[in-house]
Structure formats: C-alpha cells, structure tokens
Amino acid sequence: MAETTAPTRLDIEALRSDFPALHQEVHGKSLVYLDNAATTQKPRAVIDAVDAYYDHDNANVHRGMHELSRRATDGYEGGRAKVAAWIGASDPTELVWTKGTTDAINLVAFAWGMDHLSEGDEILLSILEHHSNLVPWQMVARRTGAKIRYIEIDDDGEWVLEDLPKLLSARTKIVALNHVSNALGTINPVETVVAGVRVRAPQAVVLLDGAQATPILDVDVQALGVDFYAFSGHKMAGPTGIGGLWGRKERLEEMEPYQGGGEMISLVERDYSTWADVPHKFEAGTPNIAGAVGMGAAVDYLQRVGRRAILEHEQELSAYTIERLREMGGVRVWGPRVMERRSGVVSFSMETAHPHDISTILDTEGVAIRAGHHCAQLVMKRYDVPATARASFYLYNTRDEVDRLIDALGTVRSFFG
Ligand code: 7TS
C-alpha cells in the first residue's frame, strides 16, 4: 500500500514518546533497546487498542448473536482487512491469522507439504534461513522422502545465485526463503529468485518468510508473485502471539485444514465433517482476538510513520554503527557491505570477547542486544563462529543510542583487552 503521507525523515523524539517501555532505567542506566529483530516495543496506540478490547468488547467471535460478539468479530475481521491491505493483498480472506511466522510456516509445511511432497521431490531453502523456515521442512522431508537443497551464502551474507539454475528443476516442488535475514540483515533479492523459479521450475510453489520484512519493506504479495507469505505481528509494533499467513486463494483452497476443531467446520456428521471457507478453515478454536485488534492498531500506527522512512532510518543507523565499529578495530561486522542491501541488523564479533560476554556487560550498561546463533545455526557454521553479537534497530532508535552501544563496547574492551 502506498504511504504517500509519510514524512521522509522521522521525528524520533515524538515517536519515542509513543513507546512507554523505552522510558525506563535498567541497572541504573537509561534503557537502550537494540534487540528489535527479536521483538519490537509497542506504541501506546497498540496497548490502548488491546486494553479497550478487553475493557469493552471482549466476547467470542463468529458465534454469539449479541452486541459484544459482533464488536469482537468486527475487531477481529477489521484487523485482518487492515493487515491484508498493508501487505498488498487484494482479498482479506486470503489472510489466515496464525500465532506468528513459525506457526504460518508450519501450517504450509504440514497442510500443503504432507499432501504435495513425496520421494524424489525437492524443497529449496537457503542456509540463511531462520530455524522456523528449516526445521518444519526437515520434519516434512523426513516423513515424505522429499530432499532439501540449499542456496549458499557468500562472505558478505548474500545468496550465491549463480547456483540457482542447477538448484531448480522439474523436481523442485517448493521454494521457501526469507525476505530479510534476521541473522545478518541481508535484504534478499527474492524477485530475482521468483523470476528464476517461474522459468526453471514453474510447477514450484514459493513461500517467503517475511518476519523481518513486513516491519520495514513496502511488501506487496501480489507484485512479488509468490504463493505464501508468512509474518509475525510482534516484530512490527504489534502484540505477541499473532501473525499471519497470506496465501493465494487457490492454494489455500486446495489445502486440507491444519487443525480440526471449532470455528473451522461447516457441517459435522458422525463419520465426516466439511470445512468452513478460507480463511476460517485454518483458524480452529477461539483465536487471538485481542491480538488481531492490536494488529489493526499497529498497521494504523506504522502507516502514519511510513515504512520507507523506517527503512531509511534503520539503514542510516546501521551505516553509523558499522562506521563506529570499524573505528574501534578488532571487530568483524557480518553481512552485506552495501548499505542499501541491509536492514537495521548489525551482527558483529570482537576478537577478544565472546558474544555472550559482550551482551552481559552491555546489559549492565543498560544496553540490550542479542548474542547467540539467532536461530540461524547454518549461518554460524558457514562463518565458523559459535555465535555473534547483534544490535538491531527500529523506528525509535537514535544515533545517541549507537554512541551508548559503542561506549559500552569500550567497557567490554577494557575488560577483555
Ligand atoms: N523468520 C525470521 C526471519 C525471524 O527473524 C524470526 C524470528 C522467525 C522467522 C520466527 O518468528 P516467530 O515470531 O514465529 O518467532 N526471529 C527472532 C530473532 O531474530 N530473535 O528472536 C526471534
């Protein structure tokens, strides 16, 4: 969706005042929250929308013929329509609410994969995937006999696309790739891969993991020409426990349900049942209604800010961070060299300190980053490191906070030499 009213530069101080959790002290220091790739903080508008739902409208959806149930249903379906438009879907019924990206990918792996994959078929992934876009495919491959193939990455954290022609064939049944990497911050050339798939493996279904893309990119699922798009609300200022799977109508319709139960049936007999229409066929049980309401508020909020401005802001902070890390010396920064190819994720290693020691010392300075394998162990193996330290930004982070990070890394340096 075009964000014509968005300012080109963000008024960070005004935006920061929208996020209550940013304004606190941690270990006696003002909090510097740089763990946004794991989850973002929530603006007051989202918190208030969730509160208002529980204060006034709480009821179950689709069932009750009473005012509160109608309001709950309106909030639930209204949130769906907003989020669908936000990712460029023309039809809100193509958007299935899930618990998040992991849940969405598992839905496709099991509901689509178990019925469409068999011995001799191939699943194409990349080694840059989050475990949630690896492990479900390994589970399904083990049960179906399908084989997994991988796009490799180069030293700059970019896919080695010269290999693509030999990785795609008539055997390729699904291509499942991340749009933006959580481990290295690479904005992946998914358009190039989709074009390659359409030429060399037109039978293949394409799924994109958009967990790190929906918060910053003007995602348009129709223009991308994919079959499935998975994402999480909590990484884009929304609540935890809610996310979505967008799927082409014909794909969703050809799939059997993932789970059985209430809300997903049309008719139940002793020996069989028939299914509700898409998307409700995939939404068994009482759903996360408050989460859907919160997602609607999150999209309204981000729409006002503008994703292009958020991306530019993140890239500016990444560039500044990398420049300051290089000045320090003894630091290896992972991921693309070209700033336009990066998001607001800066993964790095220090020669003298283990990433976990870095994050522990930073925490005592009030600076929150993540250290570890970032659920991307194949990336760590590729670079022969057990873990990296990762600072990740969102719309409310500032250059002053980057300076606080660098100062705290100075403390790490003085500890470990
Ligand atoms: N895919 C990517 C690219 C991700 O970054 C994440 C979460 C997921 C999938 C899974 O999303 P979930 O909402 O279902 O958990 N990434 C991270 C991270 O980088 N640190 O903590 C979670």
Side-chain angles (χ1 to χ4, degrees):
M1 175 173 286
E3 281 142 6
T4 45
T5 54
T8 48
R9 290 193 76 82
L10 303 178
D11 180 351
I12 307 296
E13 281 319 308
L15 292 173
R16 286 182 72 80
S17 67
D18 294 335
F19 291 80
L22 296 177
H23 308 284
Q24 60 178 302
E25 293 203 341
V26 170
H27 306 306
K29 311 270 171 59
S30 61
L31 168 67
V32 174
Y33 186 78
L34 303 180
D35 194 17
N36 294 285
T39 199
T40 60
Q41 298 301 339
K42 320 305 171 198
R44 174 57 66 198
V46 169
I47 299 167
D48 285 351
V50 173
D51 275 0
Y53 165 75
Y54 282 123
D55 280 344
H56 304 288
D57 304 330
N58 177 57
N60 214 327
V61 288
H62 305 303
R63 295 188 180 122
M65 303 301 286
H66 58 78
E67 172 63 19
L68 264 58
S69 177
R70 267 191 295 279
R71 281 192 229 149
T73 305
D74 286 350
Y76 184 69
E77 295 301 338
R80 190 195 309 273
K82 281 182 187 175
V83 175
W86 169 251
I87 58 167
S90 56
D91 178 356
T93 68
E94 292 186 329
L95 180 66
V96 180
W97 286 124
T98 65
K99 285 190 285 181
T101 307
T102 306
D103 193 32
I105 296 172
N106 275 274
L107 195 167
V108 178
F110 285 90
W112 185 88
M114 289 303 286
D115 283 342
H116 290 82
L117 294 171
S118 54
E119 190 104 33
D121 289 342
E122 291 180 358
I123 300 164
L124 181 62
L125 311 176
S126 84
I127 65 160
L128 192 50
E129 301 312 306
H130 186 279
H131 295 165
S132 65
N133 196 31
L134 283 173
V135 182
W137 298 112
Q138 292 175 345
M139 292 162 77
V140 168
R142 192 178 298 173
R143 292 190 202 184
T144 59
K147 190 173 163 226
I148 298 176
R149 305 194 71 183
Y150 289 101
I151 300 174
E152 300 294 328
I153 54 174
D154 64 16
D155 290 345
D156 291 342
E158 302 264 12
W159 285 336
V160 181
L161 290 184
E162 297 82 72
D163 294 346
L164 197 59
K166 62 177 192 283
L167 289 169
L168 292 168
S169 73
R171 290 187 298 276
T172 315
K173 290 291 151 61
I174 181 146
V175 178
L177 299 167
N178 70 98
H179 197 169
V180 176
S181 157
N182 70 309
L184 303 178
T186 320
I187 299 175
N188 288 307
V190 293
E191 296 82 357
T192 308
V193 177
V194 172
V197 172
R198 294 299 166 232
V199 172
R200 297 196 166 254
Q203 74 289 343
V205 163
V206 179
L207 173 145
L208 292 182
D209 166 357
Q212 300 291 342
T214 46
I216 52 169
L217 298 184
D218 230 338
V219 172
D220 184 332
V221 289
Q222 312 279 357
L224 283 166
V226 296
D227 297 278
F228 296 109
Y229 199 94
F231 59 97
S232 298
H234 69 97
K235 293 186 198 289
M236 45 176 279
T240 51
I242 184 96
L245 174 72
W246 173 84
R248 259 178 216 294
K249 195 64 162 282
E250 63 269 27
R251 291 277 174 240
L252 294 174
E253 281 176 347
E254 77 192 15
M255 280 156 65
E256 285 290 311
Y258 178 42
Q259 295 182 317
E263 305 275 356
M264 53 73 72
I265 50 87
S266 167
L267 176 94
V268 176
E269 296 289 348
R270 280 175 177 248
D271 304 327
Y272 72 95
S273 301
T274 58
W275 315 138
D277 288 338
V278 165
H280 300 117
K281 177 170 90 169
F282 297 108
E283 295 177 354
T286 300
N288 185 351
I289 306 161
V293 169
M295 283 300 287
V299 162
D300 286 344
Y301 185 84
L302 293 180
Q303 202 111 39
R304 285 196 296 276
V305 180
R307 273 179 291 192
R308 186 152 312 143
I310 299 172
L311 174 65
E312 282 169 12
H313 178 65
E314 283 197 9
Q315 287 175 330
E316 216 175 285
L317 289 177
S318 291
Y320 180 57
T321 307
I322 292 167
E323 181 191 315
R324 298 241 29 213
L325 288 172
R326 296 233 161 95
E327 278 166 20
M328 278 182 70
V331 177
R332 168 82 201 244
V333 176
W334 307 100
R337 280 162 214 265
V338 181
M339 282 312 131
E340 291 72 39
R341 311 260 325 109
R342 299 186 77 107
S343 68
V345 166
V346 180
S347 236
F348 62 95
S349 306
M350 288 174 88
E351 273 165 17
T352 49
H354 190 280
H356 289 116
D357 294 328
I358 297 174
S359 67
T360 304
I361 294 173
L362 260 51
D363 180 48
T364 64
E365 299 290 328
V367 180
I369 64 157
R370 179 157 181 198
H373 52 61
H374 316 296
C375 300
Q377 290 192 16
L378 299 189
V379 176
M380 302 298 121
K381 286 203 175 73
R382 167 67 176 79
Y383 297 131
D384 201 19
V385 291
T388 71
R390 182 187 73 181
S392 54
F393 307 112
Y394 205 37
L395 58 97
Y396 36 66
N397 290 119
T398 65
R399 283 167 81 94
D400 287 350
E401 290 182 308
V402 175
D403 292 338
R404 284 272 309 277
L405 166 73
I406 301 295
D407 287 350
L409 289 172
T411 309
V412 174
R413 177 66 52 89
S414 63
F415 238 80
F416 291 94

